[in-house]
Amino acid sequence: MANISVFLCKCFGEIDNTINFDFLREELSKDPSVVLISIVDSLCLETDIEKTVSQIRESNSDKVLIAACSTLSRGNLVIESLIKEGVERHKIGLVDIREGCAWIHGDNPEDASKKAKDLINMGIAALQHKDMSDDMSVTVHPNALIIGAGPAGLAAAMSLARTGFKVNLLERSKVPGGMLKLISRCYPDNDDASNKLGPYLREVENNPLITFYPQSKITSVEGDTGNFTVHFSFQEKDSFIQAGVIIVATGAKIFFPTGLYGYGEIKNVINQMEFERQSLNGSLETKKPVFIQCVGARNRERPYCSTICCPISLKNASRIAEDIPGASVFILHRGIMTPGNTLEKYYRDTLSSGVQFIRFEEEQPPRIIGSDYVEAVEVYDAITGITRKIETDLVVLSTPLVPNNDNVQLAEMLDIEVDRYGFFSEIYPMHPLETKTDGIFICGSARWPVSSDHSILQGKAAAMKAVSYLRQSKIAASTLSRVPGLKSGHARVVPESCTGCGNCVAACPFDACHIEKLEGRYISIVNMMKCKACGSCVSVCPNGTMQIPEHNYRMVGEMIKMAF
Amino acid sequence: MNQPRILIFACKWCGFIGADAAGKKRISLPSRFRVIPMECASLVETDAILRALAGGIDGIAVLGCHIGGCRYNNANHTAIKRLELLQDLLDTTGIGSSRLLLSFGTAHEDYQFEEIIKNFFDELTLLPPLDPWL
């Protein structure tokens, strides 16, 4: 039994107005493990901290229990101040007798005093068994690995390189640029894609900190935050890189709507990418184009909105309406999606340029007239209820972006997650661009279809998040917390009693546990860099081998015993 | 009248914040409940709940974050599944699942916490007291 000194805070009358402190002192003095009972007016002021620390030093106590306000008020401040003064974290306990007792039972002082006594007894019982987690740290490789050299990857590479970190930029194809290479202009400013891409391409070429690996493919990933080893084939040779962080900017791919509206069979039914290609090489000839929106999107199979197809159609439609005299341009849509501060104006500008909009319903899609050449499109206008026949020479299908085929494979290698469509998913809530594994970030269309501007924005944001890891020379596992402050601990296995059943492996939401053969038998090993101390493994462990030392089953058991 | 005793396992990010907010607003609550803050609802061991019931505590409440709002990559989903199984077990053994209150994402605000505690007290008052086994 550890000797415990108890500090009771009156909070200048806030607590002792309700709770009888003489009764508490009397009850506490019966406990043999309590060596010091100190009743003070307040604990959270600076002078009080000094006084408290000197009292702890003078008394013969191993651990300190503070009965004051809750951790969310000023309790944490007291704890942190004590730690600063040299008291170890796991030797401090805090009991909330203000918010959790005095303030909610102000009408019943007698019961409140009894409850305070029970709460303090629970605190003492818990503190007796409170232990400290192990910690580990990893030396950080001060360089980043970026997968994909599209706008997002290029922007991330440029930001990181200009911050002074070495960047390895991996790309599947021969040249950087991604999808921006294939299109002519970008919305909403109608700037040439090559203008947008130029500075980034020049940076890749000229900045010595950026190493570009074209035609490369990742084969396996090992290691943890700050110390990833990525094996990849580079121009058909095996190679590897050690990196502190990984930024996934693999983008998405275009959906080819084979079989829909005669695509693939009829010559003048093309998709937006083909339209971009034709306008890039100057072969585009149309006076009466019809754009059909939501082809293969917002349906049962792909219920999501790809967000970029509406602005793309607006861009291409207004371009033809403005550039070609006498052109008649139609957009057949199921609701135009133009969110944000610039796109709504873009929509209105397109309207005033003479482009006509017709809304159709999912159940009654437009019909193509013509078997090897489309002469007209018949559409039921959902607003006026009139079926209209529109003469055309080109039908452009707006298709959504869909995830790359190897996303699932890559996600498995990196230990991150994909959503139900196959895009990489970030960890929820409040952790944009961050994934299940610390130090791996996602940005651009790999995460969700976004415009080039947003890809660049996200790439830069991911780079800045990466800097917070790269600037450290060593990363301690306890600092890899998703929330402000330190982690509450790490799960710990007792190797002697672990049976290697694997329940913890199945339960861990962060894939921190794995089974290893050690001295002839299987036991569970916890990777502290991944463990977030949620306790999922603890509650499925059949024999209590897996514990979080700061919150172990003995503490909970003793607290339950002392609860009433 | 039966005076029930309640033990609350409150997730640090939801139920505990609600409890704390209720305290800050000085909402008057019945005194016979004790809150044990947990890192996550998934840390609540089923044995701890059974031990508490065997020790004569009349009702256990587990307050966690709402579905999809877990700080620990949906760890609370598994917790819900496990604890619902425990409710079935409590029904089978005759203790009754009404003694285990599971509430996810509903105790984040002070008034929500107040309502949950008061309703749970009312419910347990109608049940006979649990004799301690241990």
Side-chain angles (χ1 to χ4, degrees):
Chain A
M1 291 276 270
N3 290 335
I4 291 178
S5 53
V6 182
F7 288 84
L8 303 171
C9 178
K10 286 186 188 172
C11 197
F12 292 112
E14 287 292 348
I15 299 175
D16 64 338
N17 272 351
T18 311
I19 293 167
N20 184 348
F21 272 50
D22 294 334
F23 166 75
L24 288 186
R25 184 192 280 278
E26 203 179 300
E27 288 291 328
L28 280 173
S29 56
K30 289 177 194 162
D31 190 333
S33 65
V34 176
V35 291
L36 170 74
I37 306 163
S38 173
I39 298 176
V40 285
D41 271 334
S42 83
L43 278 168
C44 53
L45 302 179
E46 224 166 273
T47 47
D48 300 322
I49 301 283
E50 282 166 25
K51 224 185 284 169
T52 312
V53 172
S54 64
Q55 269 183 308
I56 294 167
R57 296 243 166 85
E58 279 163 27
S59 70
N60 181 28
S61 61
D62 309 314
K63 295 185 174 183
V64 188
L65 185 81
I66 298 155
C69 54
S70 104
T71 44
L72 299 175
S73 298
R74 293 174 74 81
N76 252 356
L77 191 124
V78 178
I79 294 177
E80 293 301 329
S81 313
L82 288 182
I83 290 167
K84 219 177 271 173
E85 295 288 337
V87 187
E88 285 170 85
R89 188 176 289 274
H90 71 286
K91 292 186 174 171
I92 306 170
L94 184 96
V95 173
D96 165 22
I97 56 167
R98 194 177 77 175
E99 279 88 348
C101 186
W103 280 0
I104 49 175
H105 308 312
D107 50 353
N108 194 346
E110 199 182 319
D111 277 2
S113 301
K114 273 187 205 154
K115 180 168 177 175
K117 181 206 82 183
D118 286 339
L119 288 175
I120 292 168
N121 281 339
M122 284 163 81
I124 291 172
L127 197 54
Q128 291 287 6
H129 297 282
K130 197 171 178 178
D131 202 350
M132 192 173 67
S133 293
D134 312 318
D135 200 356
M136 66 174 285
S137 59
V138 162
T139 310
V140 181
H141 289 284
N143 56 337
L145 179 93
I146 299 173
I147 312 170
L154 288 171
M158 183 167 165
S159 299
L160 278 171
R162 290 202 173 176
T163 324
F165 293 104
K166 216 172 149 283
V167 178
N168 303 292
L169 186 58
L170 267 62
E171 167 61 38
R172 192 191 329 236
S173 64
K174 284 181 187 166
V175 285
M179 225 179 268
L180 266 189
K181 270 264 182 240
L182 308 172
I183 66 173
S184 55
R185 288 185 191 174
C186 299
Y187 72 83
D189 44 10
N190 290 338
D191 193 10
D192 275 2
S194 52
N195 283 351
K196 197 160 270 187
L197 211 48
Y200 296 105
L201 296 181
R202 280 196 292 279
E203 187 80 16
V204 170
E205 215 165 285
N206 300 332
N207 196 325
L209 286 171
I210 302 177
T211 320
F212 182 58
Y213 295 90
Q215 288 175 294
S216 49
K217 191 176 183 343
I218 292 184
T219 47
S220 70
V221 181
E222 293 157 21
D224 297 306
T225 315
N227 183 20
F228 294 105
T229 308
V230 181
H231 296 269
F232 62 102
S233 64
F234 167 49
Q235 290 170 342
E236 288 161 17
K237 282 193 291 276
D238 284 337
S239 182
F240 77 98
I241 288 171
Q242 285 182 308
V245 294
I246 298 176
I247 295 175
V248 182
T250 50
K253 64 171 190 178
I254 307 134
F255 173 63
F256 291 98
T258 311
L260 289 169
Y261 300 103
Y263 180 83
E265 294 153 18
I266 305 172
K267 205 181 96 218
N268 62 341
V269 176
I270 59 172
N271 68 356
Q272 290 283 14
M273 220 56 205
E274 180 68 18
F275 186 96
E276 297 284 354
R277 199 180 61 80
Q278 288 186 9
S279 52
L280 251 187
N281 61 23
S283 66
L284 188 71
E285 271 178 34
T286 174
K287 253 189 129 166
K288 296 178 282 182
V290 171
F291 294 84
I292 302 177
Q293 299 301 112
C294 299
V295 177
R298 294 172 74 204
N299 56 12
R300 199 174 276 263
E301 194 190 343
R302 255 172 248 99
Y304 61 87
C305 170
S306 177
T307 65
I308 60 163
C309 354
C310 279
I312 288 174
S313 279
L314 296 180
K315 171 187 76 178
N316 291 335
S318 63
R319 186 176 176 183
I320 290 176
E322 282 163 9
D323 290 1
I324 299 170
S328 102
V329 188
F330 279 85
I331 294 182
L332 313 184
H333 65 95
R334 284 168 52 201
I336 292 286
M337 304 286 191
T338 51
N341 56 353
T342 46
L343 289 181
E344 179 65 17
K345 185 176 175 298
Y346 198 58
Y347 169 56
R348 294 193 179 277
D349 289 350
T350 311
L351 266 176
S352 57
S353 73
V355 175
Q356 299 188 61
F357 290 80
I358 295 179
R359 187 188 170 119
F360 68 93
E361 293 295 339
E362 193 189 353
E363 295 75 32
Q364 283 171 297
R367 217 160 54 78
I368 302 289
I369 296 170
S371 54
D372 52 343
Y373 184 86
V374 180
E375 282 144 13
V377 177
E378 200 177 71
V379 61
Y380 174 78
D381 187 334
I383 292 170
T384 58
I386 300 167
T387 303
R388 293 182 61 176
K389 199 170 166 186
I390 305 157
E391 280 187 19
T392 178
D393 55 3
L394 184 68
V395 174
V396 186
L397 305 179
S398 278
T399 55
L401 289 182
V402 288
N404 288 323
N405 297 338
D406 55 356
N407 272 10
V408 175
Q409 209 187 339
L410 187 59
E412 252 166 43
M413 280 194 267
L414 294 170
D415 220 344
I416 62 178
E417 290 183 342
V418 291
D419 65 12
R420 60 192 166 127
Y421 310 114
F423 293 105
F424 293 107
S425 66
E426 53 203 14
I427 192 146
Y428 185 84
M430 289 179 272
H431 300 287
L433 311 185
E434 292 175 36
T435 60
K436 196 171 79 174
T437 305
D438 291 280
I440 299 184
F441 305 96
I442 50 173
C443 58
S445 292
R447 172 181 164 269
W448 199 247
V450 281
S451 66
S452 54
D453 280 359
H454 283 182
S455 282
I456 288 166
L457 180 78
Q458 288 180 10
K460 286 178 178 170
M464 287 307 112
K465 287 207 166 193
V467 167
S468 69
Y469 288 86
L470 292 174
R471 69 184 168 84
Q472 304 174 54
S473 57
K474 263 176 180 278
I475 294 180
S478 55
T479 59
L480 291 175
S481 167
R482 294 272 178 210
V483 290
L486 295 173
K487 278 186 209 169
S488 69
H490 296 121
R492 180 192 283 166
V493 189
V494 184
E496 290 76 35
S497 57
C498 179
T499 57
C501 69
N503 276 2
C504 47
V505 179
C508 182
F510 295 94
D511 293 342
C513 306
H514 66 276
I515 299 287
E516 236 173 62
K517 198 166 188 179
L518 224 74
E519 292 165 10
R521 62 196 196 90
Y522 291 101
I523 61 163
S524 171
I525 306 282
V526 178
N527 181 348
M528 281 185 266
M529 297 302 279
K530 287 191 172 171
C531 178
K532 295 277 178 287
C534 64
S536 294
C537 50
V538 173
S539 47
V540 294
C541 186
N543 60 355
T545 283
M546 189 70 94
Q547 287 298 327
I548 292 174
E550 277 84 355
H551 206 118
N552 55 51
Y553 71 104
R554 275 186 203 283
M555 288 171 68
V556 178
E558 294 295 326
M559 279 164 98
I560 292 170
K561 267 191 213 165
M562 306 304 285
F564 288 94
Chain B
M1 205 168 73
N2 177 21
Q3 282 276 322
R5 304 191 287 185
I6 294 178
L7 189 70
I8 297 169
F9 292 105
C11 161
K12 203 166 106 178
W13 307 106
C14 194
F16 183 64
I17 291 176
D20 187 69
K24 286 204 171 76
K25 279 207 172 166
R26 308 188 190 219
I27 294 171
S28 181
L29 292 172
S31 68
R32 286 163 74 85
F33 73 91
R34 311 281 184 261
V35 178
I36 299 182
M38 301 301 254
E39 193 64 27
C40 174
S42 72
L43 180 52
V44 181
E45 290 188 70
T46 41
D47 355 1
I49 294 170
L50 293 175
R51 207 176 291 191
L53 290 169
I57 289 171
D58 297 279
I60 317 288
V62 179
L63 308 179
C65 296
H66 63 86
I67 303 290
C70 183
R71 304 287 162 125
Y72 299 102
N73 202 12
N74 297 337
N76 63 350
H77 289 214
T78 44
I80 293 173
K81 286 178 195 161
R82 184 168 53 246
L83 294 173
E84 280 184 350
L85 278 176
L86 180 63
Q87 277 187 329
D88 284 352
L89 190 73
L90 292 179
D91 270 334
T92 321
T93 50
I95 298 168
S97 60
S98 55
R99 292 193 186 271
L100 174 60
L101 174 75
L102 303 180
S103 183
F104 286 81
T106 50
H108 193 85
E109 303 286 341
D110 40 27
Y111 62 92
Q112 291 174 324
F113 183 80
E114 177 196 7
E115 196 181 309
I116 281 178
I117 297 302
K118 285 186 174 165
N119 286 349
F120 197 30
F121 262 106
D122 291 345
E123 222 172 284
L124 289 175
T125 315
L126 304 175
L127 297 174
L130 269 190
D131 282 335
W133 275 39
L134 297 174

